[in-house]
């Protein structure tokens, strides 16, 4: 288990990406990353995604962030 995989539903993210016919390279390009490793590290839970990345991934895949990410927002 990778450090951030408890926050990323890695199986669902990979499944949805593949169902859209997108590769890791495709996702990296759509995200505006210079390297496919940046996206890959998010998908497998190695890197904690930024809020902007969460929103962009959800936009690309056409599903709400809660389908792929398990973050809780603290309310005051």
């Amino acid at each position: 288990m990778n450090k951030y995989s408890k926050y990323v539903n890695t199986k669902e993210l990979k499944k949805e990406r593949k169902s859209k016919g997108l590769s890791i390279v495709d996702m990296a390009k759509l995200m505006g990353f210079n390297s496919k490793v940046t996206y890959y590290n998010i998908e497998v839970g190695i890197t904690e995604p930024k809020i902007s990345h969460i929103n962009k991934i959800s936009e690309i895949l056409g599903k709400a962030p809660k389908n792929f990410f398990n973050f809780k927002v603290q309310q005051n």
Side-chain angles (χ1 to χ4, degrees), residues 19-76:
S19 79
K20 301 283 187 200
L22 297 169
S23 69
I24 290 173
V25 173
D26 295 331
M27 285 298 290
K29 286 180 183 176
L30 291 168
M31 296 287 298
F33 296 147
N34 293 326
S35 169
K36 67 181 180 183
V37 174
T38 306
Y39 174 77
Y40 174 80
N41 286 344
I42 293 171
E43 185 174 291
V44 299
I46 293 172
T47 303
E48 181 179 19
K50 295 178 182 178
I51 296 293
S52 60
H53 296 158
I54 290 171
N55 290 332
K56 186 69 174 176
I57 290 167
S58 297
E59 179 185 315
I60 291 166
L61 298 178
K63 289 196 171 182
K66 68 181 180 178
N67 290 293
F68 310 117
F69 303 98
N70 305 314
F71 288 98
K72 303 284 185 209
V73 177
Q74 183 178 355
Q75 297 181 1
N76 294 332

Short mmCIF file of all heavy atoms in Angstrom, two decimals, residues 19-76:
data_model
loop_
_atom_site.label_atom_id
_atom_site.label_comp_id
_atom_site.label_asym_id
_atom_site.label_seq_id
_atom_site.Cartn_x
_atom_site.Cartn_y
_atom_site.Cartn_z
N SER A 19 -11.72 2.68 -19.24
CA SER A 19 -13.03 2.61 -19.90
C SER A 19 -13.23 3.77 -20.87
O SER A 19 -14.00 3.66 -21.82
CB SER A 19 -14.16 2.57 -18.87
OG SER A 19 -14.43 3.86 -18.36
N LYS A 20 -12.53 4.86 -20.63
CA LYS A 20 -12.59 6.02 -21.53
C LYS A 20 -11.56 5.88 -22.66
O LYS A 20 -11.45 6.77 -23.51
CB LYS A 20 -12.31 7.31 -20.78
CG LYS A 20 -13.25 7.61 -19.65
CD LYS A 20 -14.56 8.12 -20.16
CE LYS A 20 -15.42 8.56 -18.97
NZ LYS A 20 -16.81 8.64 -19.28
N GLY A 21 -10.80 4.79 -22.65
CA GLY A 21 -9.81 4.56 -23.70
C GLY A 21 -8.57 5.43 -23.56
O GLY A 21 -7.89 5.71 -24.55
N LEU A 22 -8.30 5.87 -22.35
CA LEU A 22 -7.16 6.76 -22.10
C LEU A 22 -6.00 6.00 -21.46
O LEU A 22 -6.20 5.19 -20.56
CB LEU A 22 -7.58 7.90 -21.18
CG LEU A 22 -8.66 8.83 -21.72
CD1 LEU A 22 -9.18 9.76 -20.64
CD2 LEU A 22 -8.13 9.64 -22.89
N SER A 23 -4.81 6.29 -21.93
CA SER A 23 -3.61 5.72 -21.33
C SER A 23 -3.09 6.68 -20.25
O SER A 23 -3.58 7.80 -20.11
CB SER A 23 -2.53 5.53 -22.39
OG SER A 23 -2.06 6.80 -22.83
N ILE A 24 -2.09 6.24 -19.52
CA ILE A 24 -1.45 7.11 -18.54
C ILE A 24 -0.83 8.31 -19.25
O ILE A 24 -0.92 9.44 -18.76
CB ILE A 24 -0.41 6.32 -17.72
CG1 ILE A 24 -1.15 5.35 -16.79
CG2 ILE A 24 0.50 7.24 -16.93
CD1 ILE A 24 -0.27 4.39 -16.04
N VAL A 25 -0.25 8.09 -20.41
CA VAL A 25 0.34 9.18 -21.20
C VAL A 25 -0.75 10.18 -21.61
O VAL A 25 -0.56 11.40 -21.51
CB VAL A 25 1.09 8.64 -22.44
CG1 VAL A 25 1.55 9.77 -23.35
CG2 VAL A 25 2.27 7.78 -22.01
N ASP A 26 -1.90 9.66 -22.05
CA ASP A 26 -3.01 10.54 -22.42
C ASP A 26 -3.44 11.41 -21.24
O ASP A 26 -3.65 12.62 -21.39
CB ASP A 26 -4.23 9.72 -22.89
CG ASP A 26 -4.00 8.94 -24.15
OD1 ASP A 26 -3.17 9.37 -24.99
OD2 ASP A 26 -4.64 7.88 -24.31
N MET A 27 -3.60 10.79 -20.08
CA MET A 27 -4.02 11.53 -18.90
C MET A 27 -3.00 12.60 -18.53
O MET A 27 -3.37 13.72 -18.20
CB MET A 27 -4.24 10.59 -17.71
CG MET A 27 -5.51 9.77 -17.78
SD MET A 27 -7.04 10.75 -17.78
CE MET A 27 -7.07 11.36 -16.11
N ALA A 28 -1.74 12.25 -18.59
CA ALA A 28 -0.69 13.22 -18.26
C ALA A 28 -0.76 14.42 -19.20
O ALA A 28 -0.67 15.57 -18.75
CB ALA A 28 0.69 12.56 -18.35
N LYS A 29 -0.97 14.17 -20.49
CA LYS A 29 -1.08 15.27 -21.46
C LYS A 29 -2.31 16.12 -21.18
O LYS A 29 -2.24 17.35 -21.19
CB LYS A 29 -1.13 14.71 -22.88
CG LYS A 29 0.20 14.21 -23.38
CD LYS A 29 0.10 13.67 -24.80
CE LYS A 29 1.44 13.12 -25.25
NZ LYS A 29 1.36 12.51 -26.58
N LEU A 30 -3.45 15.47 -20.93
CA LEU A 30 -4.68 16.20 -20.64
C LEU A 30 -4.58 17.02 -19.35
O LEU A 30 -5.19 18.08 -19.23
CB LEU A 30 -5.87 15.24 -20.56
CG LEU A 30 -6.29 14.59 -21.88
CD1 LEU A 30 -7.25 13.44 -21.63
CD2 LEU A 30 -6.90 15.62 -22.80
N MET A 31 -3.78 16.53 -18.42
CA MET A 31 -3.57 17.23 -17.15
C MET A 31 -2.57 18.37 -17.30
O MET A 31 -2.45 19.20 -16.42
CB MET A 31 -3.06 16.25 -16.09
CG MET A 31 -4.02 15.14 -15.71
SD MET A 31 -5.40 15.69 -14.69
CE MET A 31 -4.58 16.28 -13.24
N GLY A 32 -1.82 18.37 -18.40
CA GLY A 32 -0.81 19.40 -18.61
C GLY A 32 0.52 19.09 -17.95
O GLY A 32 1.35 19.98 -17.75
N PHE A 33 0.74 17.82 -17.61
CA PHE A 33 2.00 17.41 -16.98
C PHE A 33 3.06 17.17 -18.05
O PHE A 33 2.75 16.72 -19.15
CB PHE A 33 1.82 16.12 -16.18
CG PHE A 33 0.88 16.23 -15.00
CD1 PHE A 33 0.10 15.15 -14.64
CD2 PHE A 33 0.78 17.39 -14.27
CE1 PHE A 33 -0.77 15.22 -13.55
CE2 PHE A 33 -0.08 17.48 -13.18
CZ PHE A 33 -0.86 16.40 -12.82
N ASN A 34 4.31 17.43 -17.70
CA ASN A 34 5.42 17.18 -18.62
C ASN A 34 5.83 15.72 -18.64
O ASN A 34 6.49 15.27 -19.57
CB ASN A 34 6.64 18.03 -18.23
CG ASN A 34 6.38 19.50 -18.45
OD1 ASN A 34 5.67 19.89 -19.37
ND2 ASN A 34 6.93 20.33 -17.59
N SER A 35 5.45 14.98 -17.62
CA SER A 35 5.86 13.59 -17.50
C SER A 35 4.67 12.72 -17.13
O SER A 35 3.84 13.11 -16.30
CB SER A 35 6.93 13.47 -16.41
OG SER A 35 7.17 12.12 -16.10
N LYS A 36 4.63 11.52 -17.72
CA LYS A 36 3.55 10.58 -17.37
C LYS A 36 3.69 10.09 -15.93
O LYS A 36 2.72 9.69 -15.31
CB LYS A 36 3.55 9.39 -18.34
CG LYS A 36 4.77 8.49 -18.22
CD LYS A 36 4.72 7.35 -19.20
CE LYS A 36 5.96 6.47 -19.04
NZ LYS A 36 5.99 5.40 -20.01
N VAL A 37 4.89 10.17 -15.39
CA VAL A 37 5.15 9.70 -14.02
C VAL A 37 4.34 10.53 -13.01
O VAL A 37 3.85 9.99 -12.02
CB VAL A 37 6.66 9.74 -13.70
CG1 VAL A 37 6.92 9.42 -12.25
CG2 VAL A 37 7.42 8.80 -14.61
N THR A 38 4.16 11.80 -13.29
CA THR A 38 3.41 12.66 -12.38
C THR A 38 1.98 12.16 -12.23
O THR A 38 1.46 12.03 -11.12
CB THR A 38 3.42 14.12 -12.88
OG1 THR A 38 4.77 14.52 -13.09
CG2 THR A 38 2.77 15.05 -11.88
N TYR A 39 1.32 11.86 -13.35
CA TYR A 39 -0.04 11.32 -13.27
C TYR A 39 -0.03 9.92 -12.66
O TYR A 39 -0.84 9.61 -11.79
CB TYR A 39 -0.75 11.29 -14.64
CG TYR A 39 -2.07 10.59 -14.50
CD1 TYR A 39 -3.14 11.25 -13.94
CD2 TYR A 39 -2.21 9.25 -14.83
CE1 TYR A 39 -4.34 10.60 -13.71
CE2 TYR A 39 -3.40 8.58 -14.61
CZ TYR A 39 -4.46 9.26 -14.05
OH TYR A 39 -5.64 8.61 -13.82
N TYR A 40 0.86 9.09 -13.11
CA TYR A 40 0.95 7.71 -12.61
C TYR A 40 1.06 7.70 -11.09
O TYR A 40 0.40 6.91 -10.41
CB TYR A 40 2.15 6.99 -13.23
CG TYR A 40 2.39 5.61 -12.67
CD1 TYR A 40 1.63 4.53 -13.10
CD2 TYR A 40 3.34 5.40 -11.68
CE1 TYR A 40 1.84 3.26 -12.56
CE2 TYR A 40 3.55 4.14 -11.14
CZ TYR A 40 2.79 3.08 -11.59
OH TYR A 40 2.98 1.83 -11.06
N ASN A 41 1.89 8.57 -10.53
CA ASN A 41 2.08 8.61 -9.08
C ASN A 41 0.80 8.98 -8.34
O ASN A 41 0.57 8.51 -7.22
CB ASN A 41 3.21 9.57 -8.70
CG ASN A 41 4.58 9.01 -9.03
OD1 ASN A 41 4.75 7.81 -9.25
ND2 ASN A 41 5.57 9.87 -9.08
N ILE A 42 -0.04 9.78 -8.95
CA ILE A 42 -1.35 10.10 -8.36
C ILE A 42 -2.24 8.86 -8.43
O ILE A 42 -2.87 8.47 -7.45
CB ILE A 42 -2.02 11.29 -9.07
CG1 ILE A 42 -1.24 12.57 -8.81
CG2 ILE A 42 -3.48 11.44 -8.62
CD1 ILE A 42 -1.69 13.76 -9.65
N GLU A 43 -2.30 8.24 -9.61
CA GLU A 43 -3.21 7.10 -9.82
C GLU A 43 -2.90 5.93 -8.90
O GLU A 43 -3.81 5.22 -8.48
CB GLU A 43 -3.18 6.66 -11.28
CG GLU A 43 -4.19 5.57 -11.57
CD GLU A 43 -4.31 5.20 -13.03
OE1 GLU A 43 -4.80 6.04 -13.83
OE2 GLU A 43 -3.89 4.09 -13.38
N VAL A 44 -1.65 5.69 -8.60
CA VAL A 44 -1.30 4.54 -7.76
C VAL A 44 -1.13 4.92 -6.28
O VAL A 44 -0.82 4.05 -5.47
CB VAL A 44 -0.06 3.79 -8.28
CG1 VAL A 44 -0.30 3.25 -9.67
CG2 VAL A 44 1.18 4.65 -8.22
N GLY A 45 -1.34 6.19 -5.93
CA GLY A 45 -1.30 6.59 -4.54
C GLY A 45 0.07 6.89 -3.97
O GLY A 45 0.25 6.89 -2.76
N ILE A 46 1.04 7.16 -4.83
CA ILE A 46 2.38 7.50 -4.36
C ILE A 46 2.44 8.98 -3.97
O ILE A 46 3.09 9.36 -3.01
CB ILE A 46 3.44 7.19 -5.44
CG1 ILE A 46 3.53 5.67 -5.64
CG2 ILE A 46 4.80 7.77 -5.06
CD1 ILE A 46 4.40 5.25 -6.80
N THR A 47 1.75 9.81 -4.74
CA THR A 47 1.77 11.26 -4.54
C THR A 47 0.39 11.74 -4.11
O THR A 47 -0.62 11.32 -4.67
CB THR A 47 2.14 11.98 -5.86
OG1 THR A 47 3.41 11.49 -6.30
CG2 THR A 47 2.21 13.47 -5.70
N GLU A 48 0.35 12.64 -3.15
CA GLU A 48 -0.91 13.26 -2.74
C GLU A 48 -1.33 14.26 -3.82
O GLU A 48 -0.56 15.18 -4.14
CB GLU A 48 -0.74 13.98 -1.41
CG GLU A 48 -2.00 14.63 -0.91
CD GLU A 48 -1.83 15.32 0.43
OE1 GLU A 48 -0.67 15.61 0.82
OE2 GLU A 48 -2.84 15.58 1.08
N PRO A 49 -2.51 14.09 -4.39
CA PRO A 49 -2.94 15.02 -5.45
C PRO A 49 -3.37 16.36 -4.88
O PRO A 49 -3.93 16.43 -3.79
CB PRO A 49 -4.12 14.30 -6.10
CG PRO A 49 -4.66 13.43 -5.02
CD PRO A 49 -3.49 13.04 -4.17
N LYS A 50 -3.09 17.41 -5.62
CA LYS A 50 -3.57 18.74 -5.26
C LYS A 50 -5.05 18.82 -5.60
O LYS A 50 -5.55 18.07 -6.45
CB LYS A 50 -2.81 19.80 -6.05
CG LYS A 50 -1.34 19.87 -5.74
CD LYS A 50 -0.67 20.91 -6.61
CE LYS A 50 0.82 20.95 -6.35
NZ LYS A 50 1.50 21.92 -7.21
N ILE A 51 -5.75 19.74 -4.96
CA ILE A 51 -7.18 19.93 -5.24
C ILE A 51 -7.41 20.19 -6.73
O ILE A 51 -8.33 19.64 -7.33
CB ILE A 51 -7.76 21.09 -4.40
CG1 ILE A 51 -7.70 20.77 -2.91
CG2 ILE A 51 -9.18 21.42 -4.83
CD1 ILE A 51 -8.59 19.65 -2.46
N SER A 52 -6.54 20.98 -7.34
CA SER A 52 -6.70 21.27 -8.77
C SER A 52 -6.55 20.01 -9.61
O SER A 52 -7.25 19.85 -10.62
CB SER A 52 -5.70 22.33 -9.22
OG SER A 52 -4.36 21.90 -9.00
N HIS A 53 -5.68 19.10 -9.19
CA HIS A 53 -5.52 17.83 -9.92
C HIS A 53 -6.75 16.95 -9.74
O HIS A 53 -7.20 16.31 -10.69
CB HIS A 53 -4.27 17.09 -9.43
CG HIS A 53 -3.00 17.83 -9.70
ND1 HIS A 53 -1.85 17.58 -8.99
CD2 HIS A 53 -2.70 18.81 -10.58
CE1 HIS A 53 -0.89 18.39 -9.43
NE2 HIS A 53 -1.39 19.14 -10.39
N ILE A 54 -7.27 16.91 -8.54
CA ILE A 54 -8.49 16.12 -8.27
C ILE A 54 -9.62 16.61 -9.17
O ILE A 54 -10.32 15.82 -9.80
CB ILE A 54 -8.88 16.23 -6.78
CG1 ILE A 54 -7.86 15.48 -5.92
CG2 ILE A 54 -10.30 15.72 -6.54
CD1 ILE A 54 -8.01 15.70 -4.43
N ASN A 55 -9.80 17.92 -9.22
CA ASN A 55 -10.87 18.49 -10.04
C ASN A 55 -10.66 18.22 -11.53
O ASN A 55 -11.61 17.90 -12.24
CB ASN A 55 -11.00 19.99 -9.78
CG ASN A 55 -11.54 20.28 -8.40
OD1 ASN A 55 -12.28 19.49 -7.82
ND2 ASN A 55 -11.18 21.42 -7.85
N LYS A 56 -9.43 18.33 -12.00
CA LYS A 56 -9.13 18.10 -13.42
C LYS A 56 -9.35 16.64 -13.80
O LYS A 56 -9.93 16.35 -14.84
CB LYS A 56 -7.70 18.55 -13.73
CG LYS A 56 -7.34 18.49 -15.18
CD LYS A 56 -8.09 19.53 -15.98
CE LYS A 56 -7.61 19.54 -17.43
NZ LYS A 56 -8.35 20.45 -18.26
N ILE A 57 -8.89 15.73 -12.96
CA ILE A 57 -9.09 14.30 -13.23
C ILE A 57 -10.59 13.99 -13.31
O ILE A 57 -11.05 13.29 -14.22
CB ILE A 57 -8.40 13.43 -12.16
CG1 ILE A 57 -6.87 13.53 -12.32
CG2 ILE A 57 -8.87 11.98 -12.22
CD1 ILE A 57 -6.08 12.97 -11.15
N SER A 58 -11.34 14.52 -12.37
CA SER A 58 -12.79 14.28 -12.35
C SER A 58 -13.46 14.87 -13.58
O SER A 58 -14.36 14.26 -14.16
CB SER A 58 -13.39 14.88 -11.08
OG SER A 58 -12.85 14.22 -9.96
N GLU A 59 -12.99 16.03 -14.02
CA GLU A 59 -13.52 16.66 -15.22
C GLU A 59 -13.22 15.81 -16.46
O GLU A 59 -14.11 15.56 -17.28
CB GLU A 59 -12.89 18.05 -15.38
CG GLU A 59 -13.34 18.81 -16.60
CD GLU A 59 -12.58 20.12 -16.75
OE1 GLU A 59 -12.43 20.85 -15.75
OE2 GLU A 59 -12.12 20.40 -17.87
N ILE A 60 -12.00 15.35 -16.58
CA ILE A 60 -11.60 14.54 -17.73
C ILE A 60 -12.40 13.24 -17.79
O ILE A 60 -12.85 12.82 -18.85
CB ILE A 60 -10.08 14.23 -17.69
CG1 ILE A 60 -9.27 15.51 -17.92
CG2 ILE A 60 -9.70 13.16 -18.71
CD1 ILE A 60 -7.79 15.38 -17.57
N LEU A 61 -12.57 12.61 -16.63
CA LEU A 61 -13.25 11.31 -16.59
C LEU A 61 -14.77 11.44 -16.48
O LEU A 61 -15.49 10.45 -16.59
CB LEU A 61 -12.69 10.46 -15.45
CG LEU A 61 -11.20 10.13 -15.59
CD1 LEU A 61 -10.73 9.32 -14.39
CD2 LEU A 61 -10.91 9.38 -16.88
N GLY A 62 -15.27 12.64 -16.25
CA GLY A 62 -16.71 12.87 -16.24
C GLY A 62 -17.44 12.31 -15.04
O GLY A 62 -18.61 11.97 -15.14
N LYS A 63 -16.76 12.24 -13.91
CA LYS A 63 -17.38 11.76 -12.68
C LYS A 63 -16.96 12.65 -11.52
O LYS A 63 -15.92 13.29 -11.56
CB LYS A 63 -16.98 10.31 -12.39
CG LYS A 63 -17.61 9.32 -13.33
CD LYS A 63 -17.50 7.92 -12.77
CE LYS A 63 -18.32 6.96 -13.62
NZ LYS A 63 -18.29 5.61 -13.08
N ALA A 64 -17.78 12.66 -10.49
CA ALA A 64 -17.50 13.48 -9.31
C ALA A 64 -16.22 13.01 -8.61
O ALA A 64 -15.91 11.82 -8.62
CB ALA A 64 -18.67 13.41 -8.34
N PRO A 65 -15.51 13.94 -7.97
CA PRO A 65 -14.28 13.59 -7.26
C PRO A 65 -14.46 12.47 -6.23
O PRO A 65 -13.57 11.65 -6.04
CB PRO A 65 -13.87 14.89 -6.57
CG PRO A 65 -14.45 15.97 -7.42
CD PRO A 65 -15.74 15.39 -7.95
N LYS A 66 -15.64 12.40 -5.60
CA LYS A 66 -15.87 11.38 -4.57
C LYS A 66 -15.79 9.96 -5.13
O LYS A 66 -15.62 9.00 -4.38
CB LYS A 66 -17.21 11.60 -3.87
CG LYS A 66 -18.41 11.35 -4.75
CD LYS A 66 -19.69 11.61 -4.02
CE LYS A 66 -20.88 11.34 -4.93
NZ LYS A 66 -22.14 11.53 -4.24
N ASN A 67 -15.89 9.80 -6.45
CA ASN A 67 -15.76 8.48 -7.07
C ASN A 67 -14.32 7.98 -7.04
O ASN A 67 -14.09 6.77 -7.12
CB ASN A 67 -16.25 8.51 -8.51
CG ASN A 67 -17.74 8.67 -8.60
OD1 ASN A 67 -18.49 7.80 -8.21
ND2 ASN A 67 -18.19 9.82 -9.09
N PHE A 68 -13.37 8.89 -6.96
CA PHE A 68 -11.96 8.53 -7.06
C PHE A 68 -11.12 8.88 -5.84
O PHE A 68 -10.06 8.31 -5.63
CB PHE A 68 -11.32 9.22 -8.27
CG PHE A 68 -12.11 9.05 -9.54
CD1 PHE A 68 -12.65 10.14 -10.18
CD2 PHE A 68 -12.31 7.79 -10.09
CE1 PHE A 68 -13.37 9.99 -11.36
CE2 PHE A 68 -13.03 7.63 -11.26
CZ PHE A 68 -13.57 8.73 -11.89
N PHE A 69 -11.60 9.84 -5.04
CA PHE A 69 -10.79 10.35 -3.94
C PHE A 69 -11.56 10.32 -2.62
O PHE A 69 -12.75 10.60 -2.59
CB PHE A 69 -10.31 11.77 -4.25
CG PHE A 69 -9.54 11.85 -5.54
CD1 PHE A 69 -10.16 12.25 -6.71
CD2 PHE A 69 -8.21 11.48 -5.59
CE1 PHE A 69 -9.45 12.29 -7.91
CE2 PHE A 69 -7.50 11.51 -6.79
CZ PHE A 69 -8.13 11.92 -7.95
N ASN A 70 -10.86 9.99 -1.54
CA ASN A 70 -11.48 9.82 -0.22
C ASN A 70 -11.01 10.88 0.76
O ASN A 70 -10.60 10.55 1.87
CB ASN A 70 -11.12 8.43 0.33
CG ASN A 70 -11.49 7.32 -0.61
OD1 ASN A 70 -12.59 7.32 -1.14
ND2 ASN A 70 -10.59 6.39 -0.82
N PHE A 71 -11.06 12.13 0.38
CA PHE A 71 -10.62 13.19 1.28
C PHE A 71 -11.80 13.72 2.05
O PHE A 71 -12.89 13.85 1.54
CB PHE A 71 -9.98 14.33 0.47
CG PHE A 71 -8.64 13.97 -0.08
CD1 PHE A 71 -8.51 13.56 -1.38
CD2 PHE A 71 -7.51 14.02 0.71
CE1 PHE A 71 -7.26 13.22 -1.91
CE2 PHE A 71 -6.27 13.68 0.21
CZ PHE A 71 -6.14 13.28 -1.12
N LYS A 72 -11.56 14.04 3.30
CA LYS A 72 -12.56 14.67 4.15
C LYS A 72 -12.16 16.12 4.33
O LYS A 72 -11.01 16.42 4.61
CB LYS A 72 -12.63 13.99 5.52
CG LYS A 72 -12.92 12.52 5.46
CD LYS A 72 -14.37 12.27 5.16
CE LYS A 72 -14.63 10.78 5.24
NZ LYS A 72 -15.68 10.33 4.41
N VAL A 73 -13.12 17.01 4.19
CA VAL A 73 -12.86 18.43 4.38
C VAL A 73 -13.33 18.80 5.79
O VAL A 73 -14.47 18.54 6.15
CB VAL A 73 -13.62 19.29 3.33
CG1 VAL A 73 -13.40 20.76 3.58
CG2 VAL A 73 -13.16 18.90 1.93
N GLN A 74 -12.41 19.39 6.53
CA GLN A 74 -12.75 19.78 7.89
C GLN A 74 -13.60 21.04 7.86
O GLN A 74 -13.29 21.99 7.16
CB GLN A 74 -11.47 20.05 8.69
CG GLN A 74 -11.73 20.38 10.13
CD GLN A 74 -10.44 20.59 10.90
OE1 GLN A 74 -9.36 20.40 10.38
NE2 GLN A 74 -10.57 20.96 12.15
N GLN A 75 -14.68 21.03 8.61
CA GLN A 75 -15.54 22.19 8.70
C GLN A 75 -15.35 22.84 10.05
O GLN A 75 -15.22 22.17 11.06
CB GLN A 75 -16.99 21.79 8.49
CG GLN A 75 -17.26 21.20 7.12
CD GLN A 75 -18.70 20.83 6.91
OE1 GLN A 75 -19.54 21.02 7.77
NE2 GLN A 75 -19.01 20.28 5.74
N ASN A 76 -15.36 24.17 10.04
CA ASN A 76 -15.18 24.92 11.31
C ASN A 76 -16.48 25.07 12.04
O ASN A 76 -17.50 25.15 11.57
CB ASN A 76 -14.57 26.30 11.03
CG ASN A 76 -13.16 26.17 10.48
OD1 ASN A 76 -12.48 25.20 10.78
ND2 ASN A 76 -12.75 27.13 9.69
#
